[in-house]
Amino acid sequence: SFPSLKLEEKAKGKLQKQICQVVLDHFEKQYTAELGHAWSSVRDVLTSPWCWQHAVLLNRFSQSPGLESSLAEQGYHPAFPAALPYLPAAFRCFTRTAPGRLPAQKHQPGRLKEYFLLNAASLLPVLALEVKDGEHVLDLCAAPGGKSVAIMQCACPGHFHCNEYDDLRSRWLEQTIESFIPDPLINLMTVSKLDGRQIGDLQPEFYDKVLVDAPCSNDRSWLFSADPQQAVLRLMQRKELSSLQFQLLRSAVRALRPGGSLVYSTCTLSRAENSDVINLMLNSCRDVMPVDISGMARGVSQEFTFLSGMQQHELLVLPEKGRAWGPMYVAKLKKVSSS
């Protein structure tokens, strides 16, 4: 039977969280410089968890008869317009402007969950990747698994490799896949714990599509770091992230067959981890070229706010009140010839 969909009271736990001042000060300096006047409204959303929204991605492998009408009663509407360049019929996601979230469904071995709660902007990398049935697909940094699940809502890859280097996160990824994907299809999936920087050498020119949802400085969660020492350490190590991201991206390019494409994404506003990484790739690697994703951005401009002045192959979702999605950076590249 379907759980009653009472919204959790203003995401109770989130309200008790304290903002970490050292992180806020750091962001204040960096993002005022990088985003200009856009930063103040973004900051208001990032520091107010009670205004955060959660999208509901339906699981096509576990239909629940009353779910859509129940969502409609609570003010939810389909999130992505049919006019998008790529929107598979089975891909169904609902959002509403009110904050709060549905109760998350518990993991029960042998039972598939009916929906996945997520930041709607995190579906943009998946839609930009345009996976088709039968393709060989690699999700290079796959945990906790939301994007892997979303890819399976779009198509049935001939081979789907989900990789996660971190042990704990890898277990989380496996559980997510078990919760959403039925057994016969799980057999088409491989979950590995390889160092993503090496996959390009282990499986050169093997994949049609690669998603690099890179480890990044997660602006939303970092602002609520409970431990100030850990926060200071994170901010010191932040400079090293872009080098890791570049190495992952280079590995992804090696793993792509000529003609294949990749999407790079992060959940940070930081230019060093976003445009700078992509520009370094484009400038240092002759066999990749940018792919225009402005059509997708235009198609979803009702639902998301984007930073203006970006290149056609990239976008940055800025959280706003009533559209509290993001931060989410997305860029798309294509491999032209073998290196």
Side-chain angles (χ1 to χ4, degrees):
S1 72
F2 193 72
S4 91
L5 295 179
K6 288 196 194 75
L7 288 162
E8 296 167 11
E9 289 167 45
K10 286 206 170 173
K12 273 203 203 93
K14 291 256 174 76
L15 299 184
Q16 268 76 58
K17 284 188 181 177
Q18 289 300 303
I19 286 166
C20 182
Q21 196 57 46
V22 56
V23 175
L24 185 58
D25 293 345
H26 179 92
F27 283 2
E28 194 71 50
K29 211 154 79 190
Q30 180 181 352
Y31 293 150
T32 302
E34 292 182 11
L35 304 173
H37 64 270
W39 165 241
S40 63
S41 58
V42 170
R43 180 191 56 212
D44 289 349
V45 173
L46 290 182
T47 53
S48 321
W50 55 89
C51 78
W52 294 1
Q53 292 151 271
H54 292 80
V56 182
L57 178 67
L58 301 196
N59 185 9
R60 67 172 168 145
F61 306 113
S62 167
Q63 294 295 344
S64 168
L67 179 51
E68 288 195 38
S69 52
S70 173
L71 287 170
E73 278 162 29
Q74 295 174 69
Y76 283 87
H77 59 270
F80 295 100
L84 281 184
Y86 171 86
L87 191 75
F91 187 87
R92 280 155 47 247
C93 176
F94 292 82
T95 57
R96 54 174 214 165
T97 47
R101 59 193 271 175
L102 299 183
Q105 295 179 309
K106 299 263 184 294
H107 173 72
Q108 294 173 298
R111 268 198 71 177
L112 295 180
K113 294 184 183 182
E114 289 147 351
Y115 58 84
F116 195 98
L117 300 176
L118 76 188
N119 184 326
S122 66
L123 294 169
L124 294 175
V126 172
L127 292 174
L129 197 59
E130 302 194 10
V131 174
K132 311 208 171 33
D133 288 347
E135 288 184 326
H136 288 212
V137 181
L138 167 64
D139 188 348
L140 192 67
C141 316
K147 293 183 182 71
S148 301
V149 165
I151 285 170
M152 294 295 288
Q153 304 304 315
C154 292
C156 280
H159 174 75
F160 190 12
H161 181 176
C162 303
N163 181 68
E164 177 54 52
Y165 185 49
D166 182 88
D167 216 26
L168 193 67
R169 286 171 61 84
S170 177
R171 285 205 290 280
W172 190 7
L173 168 67
E174 286 182 345
Q175 192 180 65
T176 304
I177 291 170
E178 271 166 40
S179 292
F180 286 92
I181 311 299
D183 276 343
L185 290 177
I186 287 187
N187 297 337
L188 302 174
M189 303 174 76
T190 307
V191 177
S192 67
K193 290 192 276 198
L194 299 163
D195 182 335
R197 293 170 292 190
Q198 292 163 0
I199 288 182
D201 291 329
L202 295 169
Q203 298 180 300
E205 308 206 334
F206 182 72
Y207 296 98
D208 301 295
K209 302 278 163 72
V210 180
L211 175 63
V212 186
D213 185 42
C216 67
S217 48
N218 182 325
D219 296 351
R220 267 184 200 241
S221 66
W222 281 27
L223 274 168
F224 297 91
S225 306
D227 172 2
Q229 271 79 33
Q230 185 205 30
V232 171
L233 191 63
R234 272 176 171 172
L235 292 172
M236 282 164 58
Q237 293 169 335
R238 193 176 196 205
K239 297 178 190 65
E240 290 148 38
L241 275 169
S242 53
S243 148
L244 168 66
Q245 290 154 346
F246 178 71
Q247 291 171 335
L248 289 167
L249 196 53
R250 204 169 48 188
S251 172
V253 170
R254 286 195 196 113
L256 267 184
R257 64 164 181 76
S261 51
L262 73 81
V263 168
Y264 173 82
S265 61
T266 73
C267 53
T268 180
L269 298 159
S270 176
R271 190 182 296 159
E273 298 176 50
N274 294 339
S275 302
D276 289 358
V277 172
I278 291 294
N279 289 337
L280 182 59
M281 193 73 224
L282 288 167
N283 292 331
S284 65
C285 180
R286 273 194 301 248
D287 55 2
V288 287
M289 56 184 287
V291 178
D292 186 351
I293 54 171
S294 58
M296 180 184 77
R298 274 194 305 277
V300 296
S301 59
Q302 290 301 301
E303 195 85 49
F304 300 100
T305 303
F306 296 109
L307 180 65
S308 58
M310 301 293 273
Q311 305 283 313
Q312 288 187 312
H313 62 272
E314 58 177 358
L315 55 85
L316 179 62
V317 179
L318 300 177
E320 255 192 5
K321 288 235 164 75
R323 310 201 268 190
W325 314 115
M328 180 61 54
Y329 175 80
V330 184
K332 187 169 185 178
L333 305 176
K334 186 181 173 108
K335 186 166 186 174
V336 259
S337 62
S338 81
S339 28

